[in-house]
Amino acid sequence: MKLLFLACLRPKTGNSTTADRIREHIEAAGHTCILKDAAGFENSSEVVGLIAKEKFDAALAIHLYKAGRFLLDSGISFGVIFGGTDINEDVQDPRKREIMGKVLQKARFAVAFTEEIKKLAEAYWLCMGSKIHVQPQGIRTKASKALNWKTFLHSSAVNENTDDVHLFLMACGLRQVKDPLFLVDAFSEWHLRNPNVYMMIIGPAIDPVFTQKVKAKVKRSQGVYLVLEKSQEDLHAAMKNCFAVVNSSISEGMSAAILEAMDLEVAVLARDVPGNAAVVKHGDTGLLFSDPKEFVELSKRLIREPALKKEIVSKAKEYVKKHHSWEHERDTYQNLIQSLLSDTKF
């Protein structure tokens, strides 16, 4: 089967990473999967023309509005995957919500990363729940053995004795929705009282204008550092060595960084937004905060109570093992894609 796969492919974003992983699953089943950036199309007629020219048998899209709408007039069987911002943000716009409803109605299947996303979709579009499958993101981590932690810290301007440092690491692309500056002022004030705590933001410069804002703010802030990008293996190694991984996003579908930290047995502190709360159970698999003051209080507690940290890390590891199997994710998508060519519902 030759499959057209539409997604918003801004480099180093969650959608792009998810699309690459799912394409790998599809191609492992022997199909041809052509990944195209939905942002490169102005209207559905362009996609219809591409489908006719390339003779695609079926299609898949991540994000019901930004990508799925281009498949409404495609004439081929297709499936869709909720992207996070579609169900959390775009659905608030009545025009977009109507289009997304049409996409969901016409799709052979839809995939939600969490039960919460499925429930939200069912609330907006009645009677569509039967075609929505819940498949959490599959996770595989591989930490580089070549990364020297002490050298890494010193190269990032953290010059304290590494045994005394409590490094809080935020892994995210530099764009507004990730809100990497949310905690900076509060953390910097904490660092001035406790010089052994540091925050490091690691991620690619996705939004150039916003990146400059982040750079300027971090430069003025004590105890906060910015590392623009690392390879996936080096990032996983940095996660494995840090004290805790932090997520302060305004909106999340399902954060791969959080799941990777859990798999690497690192404590997670995450902003209490629906996508994060669906993964992080407060006091069980991680800690949730609503504002910078609460973040600092919870971070202090995590330092003060090593037994709590150990218990959270252990339960988070078990959670990822049980609910975010990479192998199970592969099976699910391979079966769903096969259903596009048959009358069998999966």
Side-chain angles (χ1 to χ4, degrees), residues 20 45 86 124 183 189 224 247-248 257 284 286 294 317 326:
D20 285 337
S45 62
D86 46 10
Y124 286 113
L183 303 171
E189 289 176 14
V224 182
N247 178 294
S248 62
D284 189 64
E294 186 177 19
K317 177 70 174 181
W326 184 89

Side-chain angles (χ1 to χ4, degrees), residues 3-23 26 33-41 47 50 56 59-71 78-86 113 333:
L3 185 89
L4 171 63
F5 192 1
L6 289 178
C8 298
L9 300 176
R10 293 175 71 183
K12 309 298 183 181
T13 61
N15 273 355
S16 182
T17 302
T18 299
D20 285 337
R21 190 179 67 255
I22 294 173
R23 177 174 61 174
I26 295 168
C33 184
I34 307 299
L35 188 56
K36 293 287 186 179
D37 188 354
F41 299 99
V47 175
L50 176 67
F56 287 107
L60 182 65
I62 297 179
H63 202 289
L64 269 70
Y65 181 74
K66 291 180 180 177
R69 62 192 168 107
F70 292 123
L71 298 175
F78 67 87
V80 290
I81 302 166
F82 288 96
T85 55
D86 46 10
F113 293 149
Y333 280 105

